Amino acid sequence: MNALRRLTHRPNGIRASPCFWSGLSRASSTSSSSSTTTRSSSNSKQEQPIVTASEVRGVSQALLQHKGSLGQPTALSHPHLIRPQELVPGVEQSEICERRTLLMQHIRAYARNFGAEFNGHQSPNHMLVVGAASKKYMSGKIPYVFRQNSDFYYLTGCLEPDAVLVLTMDESQTVISELFMRPKDPHAELWDGPRTGPEMAVPLFGVNEAHPIDQLDQVLAKRAAALKPHLWFDQKHSDLPSLTEEMKRLSGKEQRPYLPPYSFIEGMRVLKSPAEMDLMRRTCAIASHSFNEVMAESRPGLSEHHLFAAIDFKCRMRDASYLAYPPVVASGRNATIIHYVTNNQVVGVQDMVLMDAGCEYGGYTSDITRTWPASGVFTDPQRTLYEMLHQLQLDVIEMIMWPGGETLDQLFESTCFKLGKYLQEIGLVSKSITDFKELAAQGYRFCPHHVSHYLGMDVHDTPHVSRNTRIVPGMVFTVEPGLYISPDCKDVPPEFRGIGIRIEDDLLVNENGQVEILTASCIKDPRALEKLCQQQVKEQQAE
């Protein structure tokens, strides 16, 4: 294992490129004629040697020997999930390494805007600390399903709990990444599964150094004393109490307050790379096909819980890790409760079902809502409202990146106004109202939620990125107009009361500036929807 660490600590003090794991096969085929070659770094004046063929073979052999005993799947142990060169499904190690460097460059550029002194301190150096998630327990020793902190996962690709990433940048703009992890422990691994350990963290995650987690306090103190850096740490979202306490001590000792880095990380995450775009296409395709099957198989008399189980099962059978959030499966008047998650009512003969669900694949989420008639046929009031909302959603999607749809907030305002106009046309809003704000207020009355949010590693992704930000290539977001008429709404005709409808799709603005509807294969056209939902009835009649 010492050989693995040696790759990042050469005798002459020059560090090897931390992102060599993604290039193992390329290096082994091209560097046989020389023992060491060099390349220049865009963010450092130093030259960084590429790992030689013999070293690559040594690292590969070490990883092969640990096949099946690392703390997460790899291309060696899980070739059906992860391809060669990838650290996690769909994303190569080199991309994750580049994220760390780019993040520190953004932070440095921001601090330099303030001149020599920033945050009450004069220093060209920066240190950023991000913690992993910790395991949560439902009772005793029974854990919930573990899900990694999204920022930590984005910057490391590491799926283990209780780990910490430390990034430093010095005045020469050299970025050093250090990962602190739980050490190997045969007894603990007998119960909870294998750990990667700091010994294998360097080649697997592409960091410069790795240490046992119990060395965190002394290494942080050492780095802070040497660099006198600006400190970056998000206390509010930290899941590790011991890390939070250590950062408080360090901040007090160095007499430097720390600043949260989430705005910089989210600013990167909101713009998807080509690899992330492909992952979003995959997770949305999984959910779309699963939705179609559930809608086709639904019928009156089933419980909402049955449909919950069906969407969960079908997404997992297509290799999704799990559902992205507790789904809404609301039949009949339950659909007028926007966040209804009880999911325990029986679907009635004339009920529509509103299902809001998505799945997670490779750490990226989908988010779809469809509303359909359980019997396969809309009633006249249901059809009137559904066709109106379907047309409204098509109108809003057409506005994206055009006046009235250049930001998510503009999409929301346009949706409320248009919904007010459409409600006028069917007689649910007075035709005497002509003012834009009054019509928008009427639309908001019947759809009291935002029509869009960013989507990515989290369902409500990058929440600190303003929805007033101009839509640009790389963004993924939802468009989800809804209509909720309470059973107690006395100023609408009785036949419309108790009806709730939402139609939600996931959209990507790709590299070419084109708007892709990632969930386009999930049926929503009213006639196609009725045809799909009648399949089960016809099959039962044929039997």
Side-chain angles (χ1 to χ4, degrees), residues 276-337:
E276 291 178 293
M277 292 181 191
D278 284 341
L279 281 168
M280 291 303 304
R281 294 182 181 105
R282 178 70 182 274
T283 187
C284 288
I286 290 172
S288 296
H289 294 309
S290 299
F291 255 87
N292 288 342
E293 290 184 0
V294 171
M295 291 189 290
E297 296 171 7
S298 64
R299 63 184 186 276
L302 294 179
S303 72
E304 296 164 345
H305 183 74
H306 181 113
L307 300 177
F308 177 160
I311 192 69
D312 189 14
F313 170 76
K314 293 178 184 298
C315 286
R316 290 176 189 256
M317 289 299 289
R318 289 183 168 89
D319 293 331
S321 300
Y322 30 68
L323 293 183
Y325 50 91
V328 173
V329 186
S331 61
R333 62 177 56 192
N334 292 334
T336 64
I337 303 170

Side-chain angles (χ1 to χ4, degrees), residues 356-540:
D356 184 341
C359 63
E360 181 169 315
Y361 176 83
Y364 289 77
T365 63
S366 49
D367 184 6
I368 301 174
T369 306
R370 290 292 184 266
T371 310
W372 69 92
S375 67
V377 180
F378 289 108
T379 66
D380 288 342
Q382 290 170 352
R383 187 186 307 278
T384 297
L385 295 178
Y386 186 91
E387 289 181 346
M388 180 198 71
L389 196 69
H390 178 247
Q391 185 59 50
L392 171 64
Q393 197 215 26
L394 296 178
D395 293 347
V396 174
I397 290 174
E398 284 293 319
M399 299 179 68
I400 293 172
M401 301 182 75
W402 293 93
E406 294 174 300
T407 71
L408 301 191
D409 278 345
Q410 285 185 20
L411 284 176
F412 176 50
E413 293 172 1
S414 298
T415 299
C416 289
F417 171 74
K418 284 179 171 289
L419 178 56
K421 290 285 288 183
Y422 278 130
L423 289 170
Q424 272 188 329
E425 293 178 9
I426 64 174
L428 298 189
V429 169
S430 173
K431 290 184 170 56
S432 65
I433 299 176
T434 58
D435 180 73
F436 178 93
K437 289 186 177 180
E438 288 187 34
L439 276 173
Q442 287 296 318
Y444 182 72
R445 174 191 170 200
F446 288 96
C447 180
H449 60 71
H450 206 291
V451 74
S452 190
H453 59 78
Y454 301 113
L455 189 66
M457 300 182 79
D458 295 318
V459 179
H460 285 255
D461 204 45
T462 59
H464 297 95
V465 176
S466 171
R467 285 193 263 204
N468 203 31
T469 302
R470 191 179 185 89
I471 296 171
V472 296
M475 288 184 174
V476 180
F477 49 91
T478 66
V479 174
E480 49 180 302
L483 176 66
Y484 315 95
I485 304 177
S486 167
D488 302 321
C489 189
K490 304 301 184 183
D491 59 346
V492 300
E495 62 268 25
F496 293 114
R497 298 172 191 170
I499 293 179
I501 304 172
R502 184 163 63 252
I503 305 173
E504 177 181 19
D505 283 293
D506 303 338
L507 286 82
L508 159 71
V509 181
N510 65 24
E511 309 99 308
N512 302 317
Q514 301 166 328
V515 178
E516 293 184 32
I517 303 177
L518 301 179
T519 49
S521 60
C522 189
I523 294 173
K524 65 181 178 182
D525 176 82
R527 291 174 181 79
L529 199 54
E530 284 185 318
K531 183 178 179 181
L532 176 71
C533 296
Q534 289 169 11
Q535 289 181 10
Q536 182 80 7
V537 176
K538 290 180 179 179
E539 290 174 2
Q540 287 179 333

